[in-house]
Amino acid sequence: MKLAFFSGEHSHDDVRAVSRQLLVHAKGDDHRCLFAFLHRSTIALKDEIRSLPHNIQALVPSFEHVLDLVHHSASLRDGPLAEPVERALLCVLKIGALIG
């Protein structure tokens, strides 16, 4: 059994750079697993947001792709969803980097 440990620390510049690299890689034919992972992550996050109360849903900007939320991190940073969204994005970025 293999175990991967991911640090919870990151800089916002790193997050933006990694998200751009993942998007570029996911578009290539060589990285279909990465594309599928990002697509499923987007669906899962949207499903989780739909299950929240409407007043909390209103705090999340609309997005087409999970990595679009990287560009909204400043607006989310001060709200009640700051930590959960940041952690979800960090997981997607770290696992996505491992895949692709």
Side-chain angles (χ1 to χ4, degrees):
M1 175 165 134
K2 292 184 180 182
L3 178 68
F5 175 77
F6 300 112
S7 167
E9 297 183 21
H10 63 284
S11 76
H12 293 287
D13 292 337
D14 288 345
V15 168
R16 288 180 187 270
V18 171
S19 69
R20 277 192 299 270
Q21 289 174 341
L22 289 176
L23 285 172
V24 169
H25 282 285
K27 292 177 182 177
D29 289 338
D30 297 350
H31 295 91
R32 291 177 190 219
C33 288
L34 177 60
F35 178 83
F37 170 72
L38 293 175
H39 178 71
R40 289 179 182 153
S41 297
T42 300
I43 291 169
L45 188 57
K46 285 184 174 192
D47 287 346
E48 288 296 321
I49 291 168
R50 272 191 225 97
S51 72
L52 296 171
H54 292 293
N55 61 327
I56 302 295
Q57 286 181 28
L59 300 174
V60 181
S62 70
F63 61 96
E64 291 296 318
H65 193 279
V66 66
L67 295 180
D68 291 344
L69 289 175
V70 168
H71 304 291
H72 296 291
S73 62
S75 64
L76 291 169
R77 199 170 295 138
D78 295 329
L81 295 176
E83 179 115 4
V85 169
E86 186 173 322
R87 295 296 173 199
L89 280 174
L90 189 57
C91 287
V92 168
L93 290 173
K94 299 284 184 167
I95 295 170
L98 183 66
I99 293 170

